[in-house]
Amino acid sequence: QIKDCSHAQQKYQINENIFENIDSHEKAYWLGMLAGDGWVTNKNELGLSLQIKDKNHIYKFRDFLQSNHPINIIYNRPKKDGSPSISYSLVINNKKIVNDLQQYGIKPNKTLHMSFPNLPEELLPNYMLGLIDSDGCFCLKSKYNNKDIKLLNFSFVGPKEFVEKFQQILIQKCDISVTKLDIRKNTNFIRIVNYGGYKNIYKIVKFLYSKPIVYMFRKHKIAIDYLLTKYPEDTWLISQLNNPTST
Protein backbone atom coordinates (compact mmCIF):
# COMPACT_ATOMS: atom_id res chain seq x y z
CA GLN A 1 0.00 0.00 0.00
CA ILE A 2 1.34 3.39 -1.05
CA LYS A 3 1.35 5.97 1.76
CA ASP A 4 0.69 9.67 1.25
CA CYS A 5 3.26 12.21 2.44
CA SER A 6 1.59 12.62 5.83
CA HIS A 7 1.79 8.89 6.56
CA ALA A 8 5.20 8.44 5.01
CA GLN A 9 6.64 10.95 7.48
CA GLN A 10 4.81 9.44 10.44
CA LYS A 11 7.40 7.93 12.77
CA TYR A 12 5.16 7.88 15.82
CA GLN A 13 1.89 6.29 16.85
CA ILE A 14 -1.39 8.23 16.85
CA ASN A 15 -5.12 7.59 16.52
CA GLU A 16 -5.72 9.67 13.42
CA ASN A 17 -9.49 9.08 13.57
CA ILE A 18 -9.84 10.67 17.01
CA PHE A 19 -11.52 13.87 15.75
CA GLU A 20 -13.49 12.32 12.90
CA ASN A 21 -16.67 12.54 14.98
CA ILE A 22 -16.97 14.68 18.10
CA ASP A 23 -19.18 12.24 19.95
CA SER A 24 -17.84 12.28 23.52
CA HIS A 25 -17.30 14.79 26.32
CA GLU A 26 -13.55 14.24 26.18
CA LYS A 27 -13.35 14.92 22.44
CA ALA A 28 -15.47 18.04 22.88
CA TYR A 29 -13.15 19.31 25.63
CA TRP A 30 -9.97 18.89 23.56
CA LEU A 31 -11.66 20.47 20.55
CA GLY A 32 -12.29 23.53 22.72
CA MET A 33 -8.73 23.52 24.01
CA LEU A 34 -7.36 23.42 20.46
CA ALA A 35 -9.70 26.23 19.41
CA GLY A 36 -7.96 28.36 22.01
CA ASP A 37 -4.31 27.35 22.43
CA GLY A 38 -3.89 25.02 19.46
CA TRP A 39 -3.30 25.55 15.77
CA VAL A 40 -3.33 23.83 12.40
CA THR A 41 -1.43 24.77 9.25
CA ASN A 42 -1.77 24.26 5.52
CA LYS A 43 1.15 21.83 5.84
CA ASN A 44 -1.02 19.39 7.82
CA GLU A 45 0.52 20.37 11.13
CA LEU A 46 -1.39 20.26 14.41
CA GLY A 47 0.06 21.88 17.53
CA LEU A 48 -0.78 22.65 21.13
CA SER A 49 1.47 24.74 23.37
CA LEU A 50 0.95 25.54 27.06
CA GLN A 51 2.97 27.31 29.72
CA ILE A 52 5.16 25.23 31.99
CA LYS A 53 2.70 25.28 34.92
CA ASP A 54 0.21 23.45 32.70
CA LYS A 55 2.70 20.96 31.27
CA ASN A 56 0.75 17.97 32.62
CA HIS A 57 -2.10 19.00 30.34
CA ILE A 58 0.10 18.51 27.29
CA TYR A 59 0.83 14.96 28.42
CA LYS A 60 -2.90 14.35 28.93
CA PHE A 61 -3.56 15.57 25.38
CA ARG A 62 -0.90 13.24 23.99
CA ASP A 63 -2.46 10.33 25.89
CA PHE A 64 -5.87 11.27 24.49
CA LEU A 65 -4.43 11.09 20.97
CA GLN A 66 -2.97 7.64 21.80
CA SER A 67 0.33 9.09 20.66
CA ASN A 68 4.00 8.71 21.55
CA HIS A 69 5.12 11.90 19.80
CA PRO A 70 7.84 13.84 21.63
CA ILE A 71 6.92 16.87 23.71
CA ASN A 72 9.21 19.85 23.20
CA ILE A 73 10.31 22.37 25.81
CA ILE A 74 10.35 25.91 24.41
CA TYR A 75 12.33 28.73 26.02
CA ASN A 76 10.53 31.95 25.14
CA ARG A 77 11.51 35.56 25.68
CA PRO A 78 11.69 36.43 29.38
CA LYS A 79 8.58 37.95 30.94
CA LYS A 80 8.34 41.67 31.64
CA ASP A 81 9.56 41.12 35.18
CA GLY A 82 12.62 39.27 33.85
CA SER A 83 11.51 35.81 34.96
CA PRO A 84 11.89 32.93 32.48
CA SER A 85 9.05 31.99 30.15
CA ILE A 86 8.94 28.30 29.33
CA SER A 87 6.27 26.37 27.46
CA TYR A 88 5.64 22.74 26.56
CA SER A 89 4.61 22.01 23.00
CA LEU A 90 3.25 19.01 21.09
CA VAL A 91 3.43 19.22 17.29
CA ILE A 92 2.07 16.49 15.02
CA ASN A 93 1.94 16.17 11.23
CA ASN A 94 -1.20 14.32 10.17
CA LYS A 95 -3.42 15.23 7.25
CA LYS A 96 -6.46 13.28 8.46
CA ILE A 97 -6.59 14.95 11.88
CA VAL A 98 -6.04 18.44 10.43
CA ASN A 99 -8.80 17.93 7.87
CA ASP A 100 -11.18 16.66 10.54
CA LEU A 101 -10.45 19.60 12.84
CA GLN A 102 -11.14 22.07 10.04
CA GLN A 103 -14.64 20.62 9.75
CA TYR A 104 -15.16 21.74 13.35
CA GLY A 105 -13.98 25.32 12.89
CA ILE A 106 -10.25 25.01 13.62
CA LYS A 107 -8.52 26.37 10.53
CA PRO A 108 -5.18 27.95 9.60
CA ASN A 109 -5.01 31.51 10.91
CA LYS A 110 -7.99 30.61 13.10
CA THR A 111 -8.18 33.98 14.86
CA LEU A 112 -9.57 35.45 11.65
CA HIS A 113 -11.58 32.38 10.56
CA MET A 114 -12.72 30.87 13.84
CA SER A 115 -16.28 29.50 13.86
CA PHE A 116 -18.41 27.87 16.54
CA PRO A 117 -18.89 24.17 15.70
CA ASN A 118 -22.25 22.48 15.42
CA LEU A 119 -22.10 20.07 18.37
CA PRO A 120 -24.73 18.04 20.21
CA GLU A 121 -26.18 20.14 23.00
CA GLU A 122 -24.98 17.78 25.73
CA LEU A 123 -21.35 18.29 24.62
CA LEU A 124 -21.40 22.09 24.81
CA PRO A 125 -20.30 22.34 28.48
CA ASN A 126 -17.11 20.38 27.88
CA TYR A 127 -16.35 22.19 24.62
CA MET A 128 -16.76 25.53 26.36
CA LEU A 129 -14.74 24.30 29.34
CA GLY A 130 -11.91 23.58 26.91
CA LEU A 131 -12.23 27.15 25.65
CA ILE A 132 -12.07 28.49 29.21
CA ASP A 133 -9.02 26.38 30.07
CA SER A 134 -7.25 27.91 27.06
CA ASP A 135 -8.55 31.47 26.59
CA GLY A 136 -10.68 32.03 29.67
CA CYS A 137 -10.13 32.87 33.30
CA PHE A 138 -11.51 32.70 36.82
CA CYS A 139 -9.65 35.53 38.52
CA LEU A 140 -9.71 37.00 42.01
CA LYS A 141 -9.61 40.78 41.88
CA SER A 142 -9.35 43.34 44.65
CA LYS A 143 -12.55 45.26 45.40
CA TYR A 144 -12.10 48.97 44.74
CA ASN A 145 -8.34 48.70 45.36
CA ASN A 146 -8.98 47.07 48.74
CA LYS A 147 -6.47 44.21 48.81
CA ASP A 148 -8.26 42.60 51.75
CA ILE A 149 -11.48 42.00 49.82
CA LYS A 150 -11.38 39.75 46.76
CA LEU A 151 -14.11 39.31 44.16
CA LEU A 152 -14.29 36.51 41.61
CA ASN A 153 -14.42 37.48 37.94
CA PHE A 154 -15.07 35.23 34.93
CA SER A 155 -13.88 36.16 31.44
CA PHE A 156 -13.35 34.72 27.96
CA VAL A 157 -11.60 36.32 25.00
CA GLY A 158 -11.84 35.60 21.28
CA PRO A 159 -13.02 36.86 17.88
CA LYS A 160 -16.16 39.03 18.04
CA GLU A 161 -18.72 36.67 16.48
CA PHE A 162 -17.28 33.67 18.33
CA VAL A 163 -17.51 35.43 21.71
CA GLU A 164 -21.06 36.58 20.92
CA LYS A 165 -22.07 32.96 20.30
CA PHE A 166 -20.27 31.88 23.48
CA GLN A 167 -22.16 34.49 25.52
CA GLN A 168 -25.46 33.60 23.88
CA ILE A 169 -25.13 29.99 25.04
CA LEU A 170 -24.25 31.08 28.58
CA ILE A 171 -27.32 33.32 28.68
CA GLN A 172 -29.56 30.47 27.51
CA LYS A 173 -28.09 27.71 29.66
CA CYS A 174 -27.27 29.66 32.83
CA ASP A 175 -30.16 32.12 32.98
CA ILE A 176 -27.89 35.15 33.20
CA SER A 177 -28.17 38.58 31.64
CA VAL A 178 -26.47 40.09 28.61
CA THR A 179 -23.35 42.10 29.39
CA LYS A 180 -21.52 44.49 27.10
CA LEU A 181 -18.48 42.94 25.44
CA ASP A 182 -15.18 44.71 26.01
CA ILE A 183 -12.87 45.46 23.08
CA ARG A 184 -9.26 44.37 23.45
CA LYS A 185 -6.85 47.25 23.04
CA ASN A 186 -5.27 47.72 19.60
CA THR A 187 -7.74 45.34 17.90
CA ASN A 188 -11.03 45.80 16.13
CA PHE A 189 -12.21 42.17 16.08
CA ILE A 190 -11.28 40.69 19.49
CA ARG A 191 -13.88 40.85 22.25
CA ILE A 192 -13.91 39.95 25.94
CA VAL A 193 -16.98 38.73 27.81
CA ASN A 194 -16.90 39.36 31.56
CA TYR A 195 -19.15 38.30 34.39
CA GLY A 196 -18.88 39.24 38.04
CA GLY A 197 -21.11 38.52 40.99
CA TYR A 198 -20.92 35.17 42.70
CA LYS A 199 -24.52 34.26 41.83
CA ASN A 200 -23.82 34.58 38.10
CA ILE A 201 -20.51 32.77 38.34
CA TYR A 202 -22.04 29.95 40.38
CA LYS A 203 -24.45 29.27 37.50
CA ILE A 204 -21.63 29.40 34.95
CA VAL A 205 -19.39 27.08 36.98
CA LYS A 206 -22.18 24.56 37.50
CA PHE A 207 -22.84 24.54 33.74
CA LEU A 208 -19.20 24.22 32.68
CA TYR A 209 -18.33 21.51 35.20
CA SER A 210 -21.58 19.55 34.88
CA LYS A 211 -19.85 16.50 33.34
CA PRO A 212 -16.11 17.15 33.45
CA ILE A 213 -13.84 14.44 32.08
CA VAL A 214 -10.67 16.51 32.03
CA TYR A 215 -9.94 20.09 33.09
CA MET A 216 -7.25 22.36 34.49
CA PHE A 217 -7.22 21.89 38.23
CA ARG A 218 -5.86 25.37 39.03
CA LYS A 219 -8.77 27.21 37.36
CA HIS A 220 -11.34 24.85 38.82
CA LYS A 221 -9.85 25.33 42.31
CA ILE A 222 -10.03 29.14 42.18
CA ALA A 223 -13.72 29.04 41.28
CA ILE A 224 -14.76 26.29 43.70
CA ASP A 225 -12.79 27.66 46.67
CA TYR A 226 -14.29 31.12 46.24
CA LEU A 227 -17.86 29.93 45.76
CA LEU A 228 -17.61 27.77 48.88
CA THR A 229 -17.10 30.97 50.89
CA LYS A 230 -20.53 32.08 49.62
CA TYR A 231 -22.27 28.70 49.68
CA PRO A 232 -20.44 26.70 52.38
CA GLU A 233 -23.24 24.10 52.66
CA ASP A 234 -23.74 23.56 48.94
CA THR A 235 -23.50 19.81 48.32
CA TRP A 236 -22.52 20.16 44.66
CA LEU A 237 -19.63 22.50 45.46
CA ILE A 238 -18.48 20.23 48.29
CA SER A 239 -18.55 17.25 45.92
CA GLN A 240 -16.18 19.12 43.59
CA LEU A 241 -13.48 19.11 46.28
CA ASN A 242 -13.10 15.36 45.91
CA ASN A 243 -13.79 15.04 42.21
CA PRO A 244 -11.58 12.20 40.94
CA THR A 245 -11.06 13.95 37.61
CA SER A 246 -9.39 16.94 39.25
CA THR A 247 -5.83 15.68 38.93
Side-chain angles (χ1 to χ4, degrees):
Q1 183 179 4
I2 299 176
K3 296 183 178 181
D4 60 30
C5 292
S6 177
H7 289 92
Q9 297 173 11
Q10 189 169 301
K11 298 186 294 184
Y12 303 100
Q13 299 173 0
I14 192 167
N15 179 359
E16 66 174 14
N17 299 313
I18 196 75
F19 287 115
E20 186 172 307
N21 292 301
I22 306 300
D23 53 7
S24 73
H25 296 289
E26 189 175 15
K27 290 180 182 180
Y29 174 86
W30 288 116
L31 183 69
M33 173 63 65
L34 290 172
D37 282 332
W39 69 88
V40 298
T41 71
N42 291 320
K43 296 182 179 180
N44 300 318
E45 185 178 84
L46 159 69
L48 178 66
S49 183
L50 298 172
Q51 55 191 327
I52 189 172
K53 64 182 177 182
D54 296 321
K55 67 178 183 179
N56 288 342
H57 228 57
I58 288 286
Y59 287 94
K60 287 181 182 179
F61 180 56
R62 186 175 67 173
D63 290 344
F64 163 75
L65 294 174
Q66 301 167 32
S67 165
N68 61 350
H69 282 72
I71 292 173
N72 301 309
I73 302 175
I74 311 297
Y75 295 89
N76 308 301
R77 291 182 179 179
K79 299 177 183 178
K80 291 182 179 179
D81 62 4
S83 60
S85 175
I86 302 171
S87 57
Y88 278 59
S89 179
L90 177 66
V91 179
I92 291 168
N93 188 285
N94 188 280
K95 183 177 181 179
K96 176 70 165 62
I97 290 180
V98 170
N99 285 344
D100 288 341
L101 287 172
Q102 292 196 58
Q103 301 305 310
Y104 288 100
I106 301 177
K107 302 175 181 179
N109 198 8
K110 63 182 172 61
T111 303
L112 296 175
H113 304 104
M114 202 168 171
S115 59
F116 220 91
N118 183 20
L119 296 177
E121 196 168 305
E122 64 269 19
L123 300 184
L124 285 175
N126 279 279
Y127 173 72
M128 293 170 70
L129 181 56
L131 291 172
I132 293 305
D133 279 351
S134 52
D135 284 338
C137 179
F138 290 104
C139 301
L140 291 173
K141 295 186 176 181
S142 299
K143 181 180 180 181
Y144 308 123
N145 298 320
N146 186 335
K147 295 183 179 180
D148 295 326
I149 301 178
K150 297 290 186 180
L151 299 177
L152 185 62
N153 182 74
F154 167 81
S155 65
F156 173 69
V157 60
K160 180 178 181 293
E161 292 184 0
F162 193 89
V163 171
E164 289 174 342
K165 178 65 174 179
F166 182 95
Q167 185 186 43
Q168 181 184 3
I169 294 173
L170 286 184
I171 292 168
Q172 293 173 347
K173 299 297 183 181
C174 304
D175 189 27
I176 56 179
S177 302
V178 178
T179 61
K180 183 179 179 181
L181 301 180
D182 296 330
I183 302 175
R184 176 180 271 184
K185 293 180 180 179
N186 302 320
T187 70
N188 59 1
F189 61 92
I190 299 297
R191 296 293 185 271
I192 305 170
V193 57
N194 286 288
Y195 278 97
Y198 65 87
K199 292 180 180 179
N200 282 334
I201 297 180
Y202 175 83
K203 294 176 182 179
I204 293 171
V205 167
K206 203 163 185 180
F207 169 69
L208 292 175
Y209 295 98
S210 57
K211 293 182 179 178
I213 304 300
V214 59
Y215 57 84
M216 283 188 178
F217 176 72
R218 63 180 179 86
K219 294 188 179 184
H220 175 268
K221 183 176 180 358
I222 290 172
I224 299 301
D225 285 354
Y226 181 88
L227 290 172
L228 276 169
T229 67
K230 304 298 181 181
Y231 303 103
E233 305 298 325
D234 187 280
T235 55
W236 183 82
L237 288 173
I238 293 171
S239 73
Q240 292 296 298
L241 294 175
N242 299 311
N243 195 321
T245 60
S246 59
T247 56

mmCIF file of all heavy atoms in Angstrom, residues 158-187:
data_model
loop_
_atom_site.group_PDB
_atom_site.id
_atom_site.type_symbol
_atom_site.label_atom_id
_atom_site.label_comp_id
_atom_site.label_asym_id
_atom_site.label_seq_id
_atom_site.Cartn_x
_atom_site.Cartn_y
_atom_site.Cartn_z
ATOM 1 N N GLY A 158 -11.919 36.219 22.595
ATOM 2 C CA GLY A 158 -11.842 35.596 21.278
ATOM 3 C C GLY A 158 -12.380 36.525 20.210
ATOM 4 O O GLY A 158 -12.738 37.683 20.482
ATOM 5 N N PRO A 159 -12.460 36.048 18.965
ATOM 6 C CA PRO A 159 -13.023 36.857 17.883
ATOM 7 C C PRO A 159 -14.469 37.254 18.186
ATOM 8 O O PRO A 159 -15.199 36.522 18.852
ATOM 9 C CB PRO A 159 -12.952 35.928 16.664
ATOM 10 C CG PRO A 159 -11.868 34.954 16.997
ATOM 11 C CD PRO A 159 -11.958 34.740 18.473
ATOM 12 N N LYS A 160 -14.877 38.418 17.692
ATOM 13 C CA LYS A 160 -16.160 39.026 18.045
ATOM 14 C C LYS A 160 -17.347 38.073 17.885
ATOM 15 O O LYS A 160 -18.100 37.847 18.840
ATOM 16 C CB LYS A 160 -16.378 40.276 17.193
ATOM 17 C CG LYS A 160 -17.693 41.008 17.467
ATOM 18 C CD LYS A 160 -17.790 42.263 16.622
ATOM 19 C CE LYS A 160 -19.079 43.025 16.889
ATOM 20 N NZ LYS A 160 -20.267 42.271 16.425
ATOM 21 N N GLU A 161 -17.558 37.507 16.704
ATOM 22 C CA GLU A 161 -18.725 36.667 16.476
ATOM 23 C C GLU A 161 -18.654 35.387 17.309
ATOM 24 O O GLU A 161 -19.685 34.873 17.762
ATOM 25 C CB GLU A 161 -18.846 36.325 14.984
ATOM 26 C CG GLU A 161 -19.193 37.527 14.119
ATOM 27 C CD GLU A 161 -19.405 37.145 12.668
ATOM 28 O OE1 GLU A 161 -19.275 35.942 12.333
ATOM 29 O OE2 GLU A 161 -19.692 38.054 11.862
ATOM 30 N N PHE A 162 -17.459 34.883 17.533
ATOM 31 C CA PHE A 162 -17.285 33.674 18.333
ATOM 32 C C PHE A 162 -17.664 33.946 19.787
ATOM 33 O O PHE A 162 -18.376 33.163 20.424
ATOM 34 C CB PHE A 162 -15.834 33.199 18.237
ATOM 35 C CG PHE A 162 -15.611 31.804 18.750
ATOM 36 C CD1 PHE A 162 -15.743 30.715 17.917
ATOM 37 C CD2 PHE A 162 -15.254 31.594 20.070
ATOM 38 C CE1 PHE A 162 -15.546 29.424 18.389
ATOM 39 C CE2 PHE A 162 -15.047 30.323 20.556
ATOM 40 C CZ PHE A 162 -15.194 29.221 19.714
ATOM 41 N N VAL A 163 -17.201 35.068 20.322
ATOM 42 C CA VAL A 163 -17.508 35.429 21.706
ATOM 43 C C VAL A 163 -19.001 35.719 21.864
ATOM 44 O O VAL A 163 -19.601 35.382 22.892
ATOM 45 C CB VAL A 163 -16.658 36.633 22.151
ATOM 46 C CG1 VAL A 163 -17.113 37.152 23.505
ATOM 47 C CG2 VAL A 163 -15.190 36.239 22.210
ATOM 48 N N GLU A 164 -19.615 36.330 20.868
ATOM 49 C CA GLU A 164 -21.056 36.585 20.922
ATOM 50 C C GLU A 164 -21.838 35.283 21.009
ATOM 51 O O GLU A 164 -22.807 35.170 21.778
ATOM 52 C CB GLU A 164 -21.493 37.385 19.694
ATOM 53 C CG GLU A 164 -21.016 38.835 19.714
ATOM 54 C CD GLU A 164 -21.332 39.566 18.426
ATOM 55 O OE1 GLU A 164 -21.611 38.901 17.404
ATOM 56 O OE2 GLU A 164 -21.271 40.815 18.422
ATOM 57 N N LYS A 165 -21.426 34.276 20.252
ATOM 58 C CA LYS A 165 -22.069 32.957 20.304
ATOM 59 C C LYS A 165 -21.837 32.301 21.662
ATOM 60 O O LYS A 165 -22.749 31.705 22.256
ATOM 61 C CB LYS A 165 -21.529 32.072 19.183
ATOM 62 C CG LYS A 165 -22.085 30.651 19.175
ATOM 63 C CD LYS A 165 -23.580 30.632 18.883
ATOM 64 C CE LYS A 165 -24.086 29.209 18.742
ATOM 65 N NZ LYS A 165 -25.540 29.147 18.477
ATOM 66 N N PHE A 166 -20.626 32.423 22.172
ATOM 67 C CA PHE A 166 -20.271 31.881 23.485
ATOM 68 C C PHE A 166 -21.181 32.484 24.562
ATOM 69 O O PHE A 166 -21.753 31.773 25.395
ATOM 70 C CB PHE A 166 -18.802 32.196 23.769
ATOM 71 C CG PHE A 166 -18.281 31.667 25.076
ATOM 72 C CD1 PHE A 166 -17.616 30.452 25.128
ATOM 73 C CD2 PHE A 166 -18.429 32.398 26.244
ATOM 74 C CE1 PHE A 166 -17.127 29.966 26.335
ATOM 75 C CE2 PHE A 166 -17.945 31.918 27.457
ATOM 76 C CZ PHE A 166 -17.288 30.698 27.495
ATOM 77 N N GLN A 167 -21.318 33.807 24.532
ATOM 78 C CA GLN A 167 -22.157 34.487 25.522
ATOM 79 C C GLN A 167 -23.626 34.097 25.356
ATOM 80 O O GLN A 167 -24.342 33.901 26.352
ATOM 81 C CB GLN A 167 -21.999 35.998 25.416
ATOM 82 C CG GLN A 167 -22.766 36.739 26.509
ATOM 83 C CD GLN A 167 -22.733 38.243 26.333
ATOM 84 O OE1 GLN A 167 -22.890 38.746 25.227
ATOM 85 N NE2 GLN A 167 -22.525 38.963 27.425
ATOM 86 N N GLN A 168 -24.066 33.969 24.137
ATOM 87 C CA GLN A 168 -25.463 33.603 23.881
ATOM 88 C C GLN A 168 -25.806 32.261 24.523
ATOM 89 O O GLN A 168 -26.877 32.095 25.121
ATOM 90 C CB GLN A 168 -25.706 33.537 22.371
ATOM 91 C CG GLN A 168 -27.130 33.178 21.978
ATOM 92 C CD GLN A 168 -27.295 33.019 20.474
ATOM 93 O OE1 GLN A 168 -26.340 33.128 19.714
ATOM 94 N NE2 GLN A 168 -28.503 32.751 20.045
ATOM 95 N N ILE A 169 -24.905 31.308 24.430
ATOM 96 C CA ILE A 169 -25.133 29.992 25.037
ATOM 97 C C ILE A 169 -25.164 30.101 26.555
ATOM 98 O O ILE A 169 -26.015 29.494 27.219
ATOM 99 C CB ILE A 169 -24.060 28.995 24.576
ATOM 100 C CG1 ILE A 169 -24.203 28.726 23.070
ATOM 101 C CG2 ILE A 169 -24.167 27.678 25.356
ATOM 102 C CD1 ILE A 169 -23.083 27.891 22.498
ATOM 103 N N LEU A 170 -24.253 30.882 27.127
ATOM 104 C CA LEU A 170 -24.254 31.078 28.577
ATOM 105 C C LEU A 170 -25.575 31.683 29.045
ATOM 106 O O LEU A 170 -26.138 31.269 30.065
ATOM 107 C CB LEU A 170 -23.102 31.989 29.005
ATOM 108 C CG LEU A 170 -21.688 31.414 28.999
ATOM 109 C CD1 LEU A 170 -20.711 32.456 29.548
ATOM 110 C CD2 LEU A 170 -21.593 30.127 29.810
ATOM 111 N N ILE A 171 -26.066 32.664 28.310
ATOM 112 C CA ILE A 171 -27.324 33.316 28.677
ATOM 113 C C ILE A 171 -28.475 32.303 28.671
ATOM 114 O O ILE A 171 -29.307 32.263 29.578
ATOM 115 C CB ILE A 171 -27.618 34.481 27.720
ATOM 116 C CG1 ILE A 171 -26.595 35.610 27.931
ATOM 117 C CG2 ILE A 171 -29.042 35.012 27.914
ATOM 118 C CD1 ILE A 171 -26.620 36.667 26.857
ATOM 119 N N GLN A 172 -28.490 31.461 27.642
ATOM 120 C CA GLN A 172 -29.565 30.474 27.509
ATOM 121 C C GLN A 172 -29.473 29.379 28.564
ATOM 122 O O GLN A 172 -30.481 28.990 29.163
ATOM 123 C CB GLN A 172 -29.527 29.847 26.110
ATOM 124 C CG GLN A 172 -29.867 30.811 24.983
ATOM 125 C CD GLN A 172 -29.645 30.194 23.619
ATOM 126 O OE1 GLN A 172 -29.028 29.137 23.483
ATOM 127 N NE2 GLN A 172 -30.149 30.867 22.585
ATOM 128 N N LYS A 173 -28.268 28.879 28.795
ATOM 129 C CA LYS A 173 -28.091 27.715 29.660
ATOM 130 C C LYS A 173 -27.978 28.073 31.139
ATOM 131 O O LYS A 173 -28.267 27.236 32.006
ATOM 132 C CB LYS A 173 -26.840 26.938 29.238
ATOM 133 C CG LYS A 173 -26.876 26.401 27.813
ATOM 134 C CD LYS A 173 -27.994 25.383 27.637
ATOM 135 C CE LYS A 173 -27.993 24.793 26.241
ATOM 136 N NZ LYS A 173 -29.091 23.821 26.056
ATOM 137 N N CYS A 174 -27.541 29.280 31.435
ATOM 138 C CA CYS A 174 -27.269 29.657 32.831
ATOM 139 C C CYS A 174 -28.251 30.676 33.380
ATOM 140 O O CYS A 174 -28.133 31.065 34.548
ATOM 141 C CB CYS A 174 -25.843 30.192 32.960
ATOM 142 S SG CYS A 174 -24.570 29.048 32.387
ATOM 143 N N ASP A 175 -29.171 31.138 32.543
ATOM 144 C CA ASP A 175 -30.162 32.125 32.977
ATOM 145 C C ASP A 175 -29.488 33.365 33.571
ATOM 146 O O ASP A 175 -29.770 33.784 34.689
ATOM 147 C CB ASP A 175 -31.119 31.503 34.002
ATOM 148 C CG ASP A 175 -32.301 32.419 34.323
ATOM 149 O OD1 ASP A 175 -32.667 33.231 33.454
ATOM 150 O OD2 ASP A 175 -32.824 32.334 35.462
ATOM 151 N N ILE A 176 -28.572 33.920 32.793
ATOM 152 C CA ILE A 176 -27.886 35.146 33.201
ATOM 153 C C ILE A 176 -28.158 36.229 32.164
ATOM 154 O O ILE A 176 -28.658 35.950 31.075
ATOM 155 C CB ILE A 176 -26.362 34.931 33.371
ATOM 156 C CG1 ILE A 176 -25.753 34.380 32.078
ATOM 157 C CG2 ILE A 176 -26.077 34.005 34.536
ATOM 158 C CD1 ILE A 176 -24.255 34.158 32.160
ATOM 159 N N SER A 177 -27.836 37.447 32.496
ATOM 160 C CA SER A 177 -28.171 38.585 31.639
ATOM 161 C C SER A 177 -27.077 38.864 30.612
ATOM 162 O O SER A 177 -25.926 38.425 30.754
ATOM 163 C CB SER A 177 -28.386 39.840 32.492
ATOM 164 O OG SER A 177 -29.407 39.639 33.431
ATOM 165 N N VAL A 178 -27.441 39.624 29.595
ATOM 166 C CA VAL A 178 -26.467 40.087 28.607
ATOM 167 C C VAL A 178 -25.559 41.131 29.256
ATOM 168 O O VAL A 178 -26.021 41.972 30.024
ATOM 169 C CB VAL A 178 -27.171 40.719 27.393
ATOM 170 C CG1 VAL A 178 -26.149 41.241 26.388
ATOM 171 C CG2 VAL A 178 -28.085 39.718 26.736
ATOM 172 N N THR A 179 -24.274 41.052 28.977
ATOM 173 C CA THR A 179 -23.346 42.100 29.394
ATOM 174 C C THR A 179 -22.654 42.646 28.150
ATOM 175 O O THR A 179 -22.517 41.950 27.145
ATOM 176 C CB THR A 179 -22.275 41.573 30.367
ATOM 177 O OG1 THR A 179 -21.510 40.544 29.709
ATOM 178 C CG2 THR A 179 -22.903 41.012 31.621
ATOM 179 N N LYS A 180 -22.214 43.878 28.227
ATOM 180 C CA LYS A 180 -21.523 44.493 27.102
ATOM 181 C C LYS A 180 -20.142 43.867 26.945
ATOM 182 O O LYS A 180 -19.404 43.684 27.923
ATOM 183 C CB LYS A 180 -21.384 45.998 27.316
ATOM 184 C CG LYS A 180 -20.743 46.728 26.156
ATOM 185 C CD LYS A 180 -20.658 48.234 26.426
ATOM 186 C CE LYS A 180 -20.000 48.965 25.270
ATOM 187 N NZ LYS A 180 -19.895 50.423 25.522
ATOM 188 N N LEU A 181 -19.785 43.528 25.714
ATOM 189 C CA LEU A 181 -18.477 42.938 25.442
ATOM 190 C C LEU A 181 -17.421 44.028 25.403
ATOM 191 O O LEU A 181 -17.607 45.072 24.771
ATOM 192 C CB LEU A 181 -18.495 42.180 24.117
ATOM 193 C CG LEU A 181 -19.502 41.036 23.997
ATOM 194 C CD1 LEU A 181 -19.397 40.386 22.625
ATOM 195 C CD2 LEU A 181 -19.294 39.999 25.092
ATOM 196 N N ASP A 182 -16.302 43.788 26.058
ATOM 197 C CA ASP A 182 -15.179 44.715 26.008
ATOM 198 C C ASP A 182 -14.368 44.491 24.736
ATOM 199 O O ASP A 182 -14.320 43.378 24.205
ATOM 200 C CB ASP A 182 -14.266 44.530 27.223
ATOM 201 C CG ASP A 182 -14.968 44.877 28.528
ATOM 202 O OD1 ASP A 182 -15.864 45.741 28.498
ATOM 203 O OD2 ASP A 182 -14.622 44.277 29.568
ATOM 204 N N ILE A 183 -13.732 45.553 24.265
ATOM 205 C CA ILE A 183 -12.869 45.459 23.082
ATOM 206 C C ILE A 183 -11.421 45.424 23.544
ATOM 207 O O ILE A 183 -10.992 46.277 24.329
ATOM 208 C CB ILE A 183 -13.080 46.660 22.144
ATOM 209 C CG1 ILE A 183 -14.546 46.737 21.702
ATOM 210 C CG2 ILE A 183 -12.160 46.553 20.925
ATOM 211 C CD1 ILE A 183 -14.859 47.963 20.862
ATOM 212 N N ARG A 184 -10.685 44.430 23.087
ATOM 213 C CA ARG A 184 -9.264 44.370 23.454
ATOM 214 C C ARG A 184 -8.529 45.526 22.792
ATOM 215 O O ARG A 184 -8.769 45.858 21.633
ATOM 216 C CB ARG A 184 -8.645 43.037 23.020
ATOM 217 C CG ARG A 184 -7.167 42.960 23.282
ATOM 218 C CD ARG A 184 -6.588 41.643 22.844
ATOM 219 N NE ARG A 184 -6.641 40.659 23.919
ATOM 220 C CZ ARG A 184 -6.115 39.441 23.818
ATOM 221 N NH1 ARG A 184 -5.517 39.068 22.703
ATOM 222 N NH2 ARG A 184 -6.191 38.591 24.816
ATOM 223 N N LYS A 185 -7.617 46.114 23.546
ATOM 224 C CA LYS A 185 -6.850 47.254 23.044
ATOM 225 C C LYS A 185 -6.093 46.885 21.768
ATOM 226 O O LYS A 185 -5.575 45.782 21.624
ATOM 227 C CB LYS A 185 -5.858 47.733 24.105
ATOM 228 C CG LYS A 185 -6.519 48.335 25.342
ATOM 229 C CD LYS A 185 -5.475 48.783 26.345
ATOM 230 C CE LYS A 185 -6.120 49.379 27.589
ATOM 231 N NZ LYS A 185 -5.102 49.807 28.591
ATOM 232 N N ASN A 186 -6.042 47.839 20.851
ATOM 233 C CA ASN A 186 -5.275 47.724 19.602
ATOM 234 C C ASN A 186 -5.834 46.663 18.651
ATOM 235 O O ASN A 186 -5.132 46.202 17.750
ATOM 236 C CB ASN A 186 -3.799 47.429 19.891
ATOM 237 C CG ASN A 186 -3.157 48.487 20.770
ATOM 238 O OD1 ASN A 186 -3.421 49.677 20.604
ATOM 239 N ND2 ASN A 186 -2.331 48.059 21.712
ATOM 240 N N THR A 187 -7.101 46.254 18.848
ATOM 241 C CA THR A 187 -7.738 45.343 17.900
ATOM 242 C C THR A 187 -9.129 45.859 17.580
ATOM 243 O O THR A 187 -9.707 46.626 18.347
ATOM 244 C CB THR A 187 -7.877 43.909 18.460
ATOM 245 O OG1 THR A 187 -8.861 43.912 19.498
ATOM 246 C CG2 THR A 187 -6.562 43.381 18.991
#
